[in-house]
């Protein structure tokens, strides 16, 4: 199954929820925290203790929404093809490309420096396009905290003797000899363990 561009954008943006939180924290005007927070934004002179509340809250909200959509979409995916696992190898997530924007965020990037922020967005745009074209966009490292794991699998379809191999994103732990159901999204298998199946 080829992942549509809009779905890929949601997954990519959602994967940077922690980064948006870091940038939000960097945008707080800590000298104003002792003042009473005004929540009636429509009143004159009322504002949150943020230097750029529109950008900071907007980007954080967008990342939160995209991450929730990603979790819901993965929950709703119903793999149909039953496979027998012949070899299972857990692969630690490659966090280098994922962590680069976090390193950059601590190099004085904030919403007030327009030039640097635009450059940062261009950098993220290229990262998205390369990840999307490589077929690896579904590998969202944040999902590890929610029970998803990356595997290098060898498997065969039930009733077939031909062996295949692929990277797989599985919910929970899987082991050699087990039967599960899978669906391919670009170059990655999405595997949902079914403990009720007999080996």
């Amino acid at each position: 199954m080829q992942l549509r561009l809009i779905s890929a954008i949601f997954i990519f943006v959602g994967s940077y929820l922690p980064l948006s939180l870091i940038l939000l924290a960097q945008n707080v005007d800590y000298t104003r925290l002792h003042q009473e927070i005004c929540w009636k934004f429509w009143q004159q002179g009322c504002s949150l203790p943020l230097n750029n509340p529109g950008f900071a809250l907007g980007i954080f909200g967008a990342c939160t929404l995209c991450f929730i959509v990603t979790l819901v979409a993965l929950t709703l995916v119903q793999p149909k093809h039953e496979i027998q696992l012949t070899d299972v190898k857990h692969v630690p997530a490659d966090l280098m490309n994922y962590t680069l924007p976090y390193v950059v965020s601590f190099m004085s990037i904030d919403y007030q420096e327009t030039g640097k922020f635009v450059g940062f967005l261009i950098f993220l745009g290229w990262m998205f396009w390369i990840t999307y074209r490589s077929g690896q966009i579904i590998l969202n490292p944040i999902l590890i905290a929610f029970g998803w794991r990356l595997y290098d699998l060898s498997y065969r379809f039930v009733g077939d003797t031909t062996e295949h191999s692929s990277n797989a994103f599985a919910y929970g732990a899987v082991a050699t000899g087990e039967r599960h159901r899978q669906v391919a999204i670009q170059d990655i298998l999405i595997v949902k363990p079914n403990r009720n199946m007999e080996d």
Side-chain angles (χ1 to χ4, degrees):
M1 179 172 70
Q2 181 65 28
L3 195 63
R4 294 187 178 183
L5 183 62
I6 188 68
S7 302
I9 290 171
F10 269 84
I11 293 169
F12 185 80
V13 172
S15 70
Y16 287 103
L17 174 59
L19 176 60
S20 69
L21 184 59
I22 290 170
L23 292 173
L24 176 65
Q26 290 178 341
N27 198 251
V28 172
D29 184 354
Y30 290 96
T31 61
R32 294 170 50 197
L33 286 182
H34 67 280
Q35 301 174 3
E36 185 177 347
I37 297 178
C38 176
W39 295 101
K40 298 178 180 179
F41 305 113
W42 56 89
Q43 292 183 352
Q44 185 69 23
C46 178
S47 64
L48 291 173
L50 297 170
N51 295 317
N52 297 90
F55 269 122
L57 293 175
I59 292 176
F60 177 70
C63 288
T64 301
L65 175 64
C66 288
F67 184 66
I68 291 171
V69 168
T70 300
L71 284 179
V72 170
L74 283 173
T75 301
L76 295 177
V77 166
Q78 296 298 325
K80 297 179 180 178
H81 305 289
E82 188 178 351
I83 58 173
Q84 174 90 37
L85 304 182
T86 57
D87 188 38
V88 174
K89 180 180 174 184
H90 178 251
V91 180
D94 179 11
L95 300 178
M96 179 54 71
N97 291 335
Y98 176 73
T99 55
L100 279 175
Y102 288 88
V103 174
V104 173
S105 74
F106 290 107
M107 297 168 57
S108 301
I109 299 294
D110 62 42
Y111 299 118
Q112 292 178 292
E113 299 180 73
T114 306
K116 287 185 178 181
F117 185 65
V118 169
F120 184 60
L121 292 179
I122 293 171
F123 169 70
L124 284 178
W126 274 109
M127 281 195 61
F128 163 75
W129 191 243
I130 291 168
T131 308
Y132 176 66
R133 295 295 292 176
S134 70
Q136 307 291 309
I137 197 76
I138 195 69
L139 300 179
N140 179 344
I142 298 180
L143 294 173
I144 294 170
F146 291 83
W148 290 86
R149 303 178 75 185
L150 179 62
Y151 291 94
D152 185 12
L153 299 181
S154 293
Y155 65 95
R156 63 177 184 269
F157 291 98
V158 173
D160 189 4
T161 57
T162 306
E163 190 163 295
H164 307 273
S165 62
S166 178
N167 287 330
F169 217 35
Y171 186 71
V174 296
T176 301
E178 294 178 344
R179 287 187 185 182
H180 301 295
R181 294 191 180 274
Q182 62 85 12
V183 62
I185 297 181
Q186 288 187 309
D187 297 332
I188 305 295
L189 296 182
I190 300 298
V191 176
K192 291 192 175 178
N194 187 347
R195 300 301 182 189
N196 296 325
M197 283 185 178
E198 295 181 2
D199 294 341

